Amino acid sequence: NPMVNSFISNENFTTLTTTANRITTYPFIPFNTITSTALVVGCIIGEDSALGRIAVYSNLDGNPDSRLYQSADLDLSTSGDKTVTTAFTFTAGTTYWLAFHVSTAVLMRAIQTIAMIPVFSNSSQTYNHYYRGYGFGSGTPRTFNPDTYNIGNVVNISIKL
């Protein structure tokens, strides 16, 4: 099955050490309407008792808004691809926000900043994602309410078709 990624090419993959109890989200705008069979993240080096989850948020005025999907917990204690099976339909031309929530610091496969869609810009910087501190035990927030925009690499969430 093919994979859809929000990156430009394989050369744009890098690694990222996540921050405990943080949820990070970035925009994804499909060219065609697609329905996933699974969502996948890559754990490079696992950490004991580490957990993660994938979420999808709607868009409101260029910001992540309401949670549309939340995965079950993913075991990040070992390396390798972590997959959640889901039939989620992404509608062509609609902005979605892909999110990754993690319980502790883990080394993950990531998309480089240069391959990201800008989400905010001021006179000195263009930012490519939002994040917020959020206790992992609480699940992903129902409404994202971004409190911090940032520039940097983000965990790659692949969409399996």
Side-chain angles (χ1 to χ4, degrees):
N1 288 341
M3 299 278 258
V4 175
N5 296 291
S6 53
F7 65 93
I8 294 170
S9 70
N10 285 333
E11 290 80 36
N12 289 323
F13 278 138
T14 189
T15 59
L16 168 72
T17 300
T18 62
T19 300
N21 294 306
R22 179 179 282 184
I23 183 168
T24 302
T25 186
Y26 59 93
F28 171 68
I29 307 168
F31 181 72
N32 294 310
T33 296
I34 58 174
T35 299
S36 67
T37 60
L39 302 175
V40 182
V41 293
C43 183
I44 304 301
I45 299 176
E47 294 290 333
D48 288 344
S49 302
L51 297 171
R53 64 176 65 99
I54 299 168
V56 179
Y57 286 87
S58 65
N59 182 67
L60 179 64
D61 299 327
N63 294 296
D65 188 42
S66 299
R67 184 181 67 211
L68 303 173
Y69 170 80
Q70 174 183 284
S71 75
D73 292 352
L74 299 168
D75 179 0
L76 302 177
S77 65
T78 59
S79 63
D81 283 348
K82 309 302 177 175
T83 303
V84 290
T85 301
T86 184
F88 187 91
T89 299
F90 295 90
T91 303
T94 301
T95 301
Y96 295 91
W97 293 82
L98 303 179
F100 189 67
H101 193 195
V102 66
S103 66
T104 192
V106 179
L107 188 64
M108 301 291 294
R109 181 174 52 234
I111 306 168
Q112 291 185 37
T113 300
I114 61 169
M116 301 297 299
I117 299 169
V119 298
F120 177 78
S121 183
N122 61 26
S123 61
S124 62
Q125 189 65 58
T126 299
Y127 300 90
N128 67 341
H129 68 273
Y130 290 101
Y131 73 85
R132 65 183 282 195
Y134 202 80
F136 190 82
S138 301
T140 57
R142 284 191 179 280
T143 303
F144 193 84
N145 296 325
D147 60 4
T148 306
Y149 46 86
N150 199 7
I151 186 166
N153 304 332
V154 295
V155 172
N156 180 67
I157 300 169
S158 295
I159 302 167
K160 189 172 184 180
L161 303 178

